[in-house]
Structures are given as structure tokens and as C-alpha cells.
Amino acid sequence: LSFTLIGLYVGVIPVFLGMFWLPALRQLGPRWMTFLMAVTAGLLVFLGLDATYEALEQAQAIGGPFQGIGLVGLGIVITFLLLDAISRRQTGVGRNEAEQRLTVAFMIAIGIGLHNLGEGLAIGAAYSVGAASLGTFLVVGFIIQNITEGLGIIAPVLKDRPTWRSLALMGVIGGAPAIVGAWVGGLSYSAVLSVLFLAIGAGA
């Protein structure tokens, strides 16, 4: 229950708080919209580089037979290619521009969700080894970061009127993996899984 609450505080609630800005952001002009999309792109690049760095750092702790660096490479490449294939298939279907923008928003939510999986794992692992101060620091930092991720999810659909169901689903996809990560990290910590999750987040 404790790890579930941590995942909610870190992943689900901050992502939804960021998404609640949708009505206000719709009032922005084209220049601000372009700026917001650029911020979204910058955020995703930062998350990718951050996750890659963390994965490579964690890979040093894995025994030689597991080939930590190779695991990082495989996780990044396979995840990237898989999401790219899904994205191309979705955009290749005969859809109008609004539906394509919604697809982009869902892909961003999936990428952020996979990244939050790694964040939840890090928090759970910190608490499982007794590093409560580190765990608390990670919780506070990830809460602030995930509010901006909620903004990134809704940025592509600011011009449109997505349904409440679509918005709720994107919020859950983006935030809920932090709960799963906290469970795995806190209840059955594995250095191999830690590296793999972080690599998947980087590839996403």
C-alpha cells in the first residue's frame, strides 16, 4: 500500500495536475503554442539523456555475464524501434489531422509512462535498502518533474477537443507505471531489472 501511494504521488497525480492546464493553454497564441511544443521536445530529450545516463551508471553494478552495457543498448534500440513502428502504423492509417495529433499525444504518454516505470523503480529500491532520505529526495524531485510531463502530453492536442476518456487514459498511461516500478523496486529489487527499465525509458 505504501509503494502504491508513492507511485500515485509521484506519477499519477503530478501528470494529471499538468494536464489540468489544458483549458488555460488553449488561450495561447501560435507563438506560445510553438514555444510549448519546443519545451515538450526539450523535456523528452532531457528525459532520454537522463535515463540513458542512469542506466549506464547502474550497468556498472551488474556482473560481467549479464553484459550491462549491452542490456542498455538493447533496451534503448528495441523500445525505440517498437514505438516508432507503432507510431508509423497509426499515422499511416487514413485519419484526419486531429486524430493524428491525438495519436502523437498517446505516444508521448506511453514514452513518459515507460520513463516513470524506471523512476518508480529507483524510488522503491531506495526505500528497500533503507535510504529513506534519498527516497524522499527522489519523490519530491519526480513530483515537480512529472507536472511538466503532464503539459508535454497535452501539448499536441491543444487545438482539438479530446474526450475526457482520452485525457484520463493518457494520464493513467503516463503516470501509473510509477506504481508498478515502485512495487518491483521496493519488493523485489534487481539490478538487472533496474538497468532494463531505465533503458526502456530512455528508448521511449
Side-chain angles (χ1 to χ4, degrees):
L1 178 60
S2 297
F3 288 126
T4 301
L5 291 175
I6 288 173
L8 283 172
Y9 297 150
V10 170
V12 179
I13 293 175
V15 168
F16 274 108
L17 284 175
M19 294 177 69
F20 282 154
W21 284 89
L22 179 61
L25 294 176
R26 282 194 176 128
Q27 309 302 319
L28 301 177
R31 293 181 65 186
W32 279 103
M33 294 272 280
T34 302
F35 173 75
L36 186 60
M37 292 298 287
V39 169
T40 302
L43 172 66
L44 292 174
V45 170
F46 167 76
L47 291 177
L49 293 175
D50 181 58
T52 302
Y53 174 79
E54 292 291 336
L56 290 173
E57 193 173 49
Q58 294 278 346
Q60 304 300 320
I62 294 180
F66 289 105
Q67 296 294 322
I69 302 298
L71 188 62
V72 173
L74 279 175
I76 291 174
V77 172
I78 291 175
T79 304
F80 174 81
L81 292 176
L82 179 62
L83 291 179
D84 184 59
I86 294 172
S87 178
R88 288 176 184 274
R89 182 176 179 184
Q90 293 294 325
T91 55
V93 177
R95 295 183 169 189
N96 58 42
E97 290 186 3
E99 290 175 332
Q100 290 183 4
R101 285 192 291 269
L102 184 62
T103 297
V104 170
F106 267 105
M107 295 304 296
I108 291 175
I110 291 170
I112 287 173
L114 290 173
H115 185 268
N116 282 337
L117 187 70
E119 291 182 352
L121 188 76
I123 293 171
Y127 281 112
S128 72
V129 298
S133 59
L134 173 60
T136 303
F137 176 77
L138 291 173
V139 167
V140 174
F142 289 151
I143 285 174
I144 296 171
Q145 176 185 303
N146 283 343
I147 291 176
T148 63
E149 291 178 355
L151 293 172
I153 291 172
I154 61 171
V157 294
L158 290 178
K159 298 179 181 179
D160 310 313
R161 297 283 177 180
T163 64
W164 285 104
R165 182 179 177 182
S166 294
L167 291 173
L169 185 58
M170 285 189 287
V172 170
I173 290 172
I179 299 174
V180 178
W183 287 344
V184 174
L187 303 177
S188 59
Y189 177 70
S190 163
V192 175
L193 281 179
S194 176
V195 171
L196 182 59
F197 280 12
L198 287 168
I200 289 172

